[in-house]
Amino acid sequence: MLKVEHIVKYYGTHLAVDDLSFEVQDGEIFGLLGENGAGKTTTFRIIMGLLDATSGTVTLDGKKIDYSMTDKIGFVTEERSLLTKMTVKEQMLFYGRLKGMTEEKILQELDHWLERFQITDYKNRKIKELSKGNQQKIQFISAVINHPKLLILDEPFTGLDPINVQMFKEAIWDLQKEGASIIFSSHQMEHIELFCEKLAILVHGKAILEGYLSDIKKEYRKKNILLRGDVDLDEIKKIKGVEAITQKGEDYEIKISEEAVQKKVFQAVRKYDITKFVVEEASLNEIFIAKVGDFNGQ
Ligand code: ATP
């Protein structure tokens, strides 16, 4: 289990991380969200022991993370940390040995992953000759070749087409099943919703929202109704608790202030010929924009 306790980081006088705490259990995927510059990369570097926190502690299975634990950690980042003049095999041998693996084990794992990602032909090719997406696969393999206890995925899907995104998703779920603690960071909220039961949203280094996604959604009382049919929009707009109506393809999306308002909307539209009436929780994207916007506006 990863435990981050009260970490604070100042760069000079600039406060980049402000008393951040969270836990990631074995087999759990935790989402770390935030606008550009919110402090995510700084937090990752502190967790990996690459940067000292001004104060606070980070432990993995009860032990402080330092250089001796690199063999337990994997990191996929947007900035490629590949040794591009090497071949795929040479780089894996290099990283694998750094992580304390035997040559035999490295090559066995490498063959497994190259096959899984359908790039077996690239084993002896120089990394710089690979496409961006295939380089991303090599970066992913470098991060997971040692079956890390802690895996940090910072925008892992950058540059991947939808088929390869699916391949990565399945690989991440398999690593979760193996019991890895995973931190996932992305600006694409649908990815966070798909993977993360628990999350924190950072604004200027501070967690303004933290907890289980289901609780966050429950607490955020606003909901959306998706409605299809020939209805009188002016009549709906007048209902107390209806905040906005927008057209989404063939549907109208009606934002309501709380669940109880749906009954009033339903009463108003039932006399029309409606073919769809669905009440949905707000998306994480909507909650993120509302919460971060509120905070910045304070
Ligand atoms: P992004 O989503 O754009 O990657 P981020 O959430 O990862 O952003 P950080 O890179 O952690 O954000 O930056 C947090 C804050 O700390 C920013 O205000 C940034 O300008 C500042 N910062 C980051 N690295 C340094 C550094 N080496 N020296 C001084 N300030 C820094």
Side-chain angles (χ1 to χ4, degrees), residues 264-278:
K264 292 191 235 163
V265 176
F266 189 69
Q267 289 299 335
V269 300
R270 59 191 290 191
K271 58 183 174 284
Y272 299 106
D273 183 19
I274 52 171
T275 54
K276 184 176 187 178
F277 188 95
V278 181

Side-chain angles (χ1 to χ4, degrees), residues 164-182:
N164 286 319
V165 167
Q166 190 55 31
M167 253 186 226
F168 264 45
K169 283 180 182 169
E170 279 157 19
I172 294 167
W173 278 314
D174 283 352
L175 291 156
Q176 177 185 26
K177 274 187 221 133
E178 273 181 21
S181 301
I182 301 175

Side-chain angles (χ1 to χ4, degrees), residues 85-96:
K85 287 182 188 155
M86 285 189 181
T87 65
V88 168
K89 181 176 158 186
E90 285 164 352
Q91 137 136 359
M92 289 306 160
L93 286 170
F94 178 77
Y95 277 139

Side-chain angles (χ1 to χ4, degrees), residues 29-202:
I29 307 182
F30 181 85
L32 193 63
L33 284 69
E35 296 174 294
N36 294 121
K40 302 177 297 292
T41 309
T42 302
T43 303
F44 294 148
R45 293 201 175 128
I46 292 170
I47 291 173
M48 288 186 294
L50 300 173
L51 190 67
D52 285 332
T54 309
S55 60
T57 54
V58 180
T59 53
L60 183 62
D61 294 337
K63 286 191 217 108
K64 197 167 176 301
I65 295 183
D66 58 22
Y67 189 69
S68 70
M69 294 187 74
T70 41
D71 57 342
K72 293 197 168 57
I73 301 175
F75 183 40
V76 178
T77 165
E78 225 179 326
E79 312 118 354
R80 272 158 239 283
S81 51
L82 294 168
L83 307 163
T84 57
K85 287 182 188 155
M86 285 189 181
T87 65
V88 168
K89 181 176 158 186
E90 285 164 352
Q91 137 136 359
M92 289 306 160
L93 286 170
F94 178 77
Y95 277 139
R97 284 189 190 118
L98 279 183
K99 293 175 177 188
M101 297 170 73
T102 63
E103 179 168 338
E104 190 191 356
K105 185 68 184 156
I106 298 167
L107 295 177
Q108 185 193 333
E109 286 288 336
L110 176 61
D111 286 342
H112 160 78
W113 282 105
L114 291 178
E115 203 154 305
R116 180 161 183 170
F117 285 162
Q118 298 170 3
I119 48 169
T120 45
D121 293 349
Y122 297 127
K123 187 169 169 181
N124 292 306
R125 289 269 289 275
K126 287 208 168 81
I127 290 171
K128 65 179 178 189
E129 294 167 10
L130 270 54
S131 70
K132 204 172 150 207
N134 285 331
Q135 288 190 6
Q136 186 70 352
K137 291 182 185 176
I138 301 305
Q139 199 176 346
F140 188 90
I141 298 172
S142 310
V144 301
I145 196 153
N146 59 329
H147 296 267
K149 274 293 301 162
L150 171 65
L151 179 61
I152 296 178
L153 302 169
D154 188 7
E155 294 285 356
F157 303 133
T158 305
L160 294 179
D161 66 40
I163 291 173
N164 286 319
V165 167
Q166 190 55 31
M167 253 186 226
F168 264 45
K169 283 180 182 169
E170 279 157 19
I172 294 167
W173 278 314
D174 283 352
L175 291 156
Q176 177 185 26
K177 274 187 221 133
E178 273 181 21
S181 301
I182 301 175
I183 305 183
F184 187 98
S185 179
S186 175
H187 293 294
Q188 282 175 281
M189 298 297 149
E190 66 275 18
H191 289 150
I192 301 282
E193 291 208 48
L194 186 66
F195 281 111
C196 308
E197 257 185 275
K198 241 166 61 179
L199 58 90
I201 297 180
L202 292 186

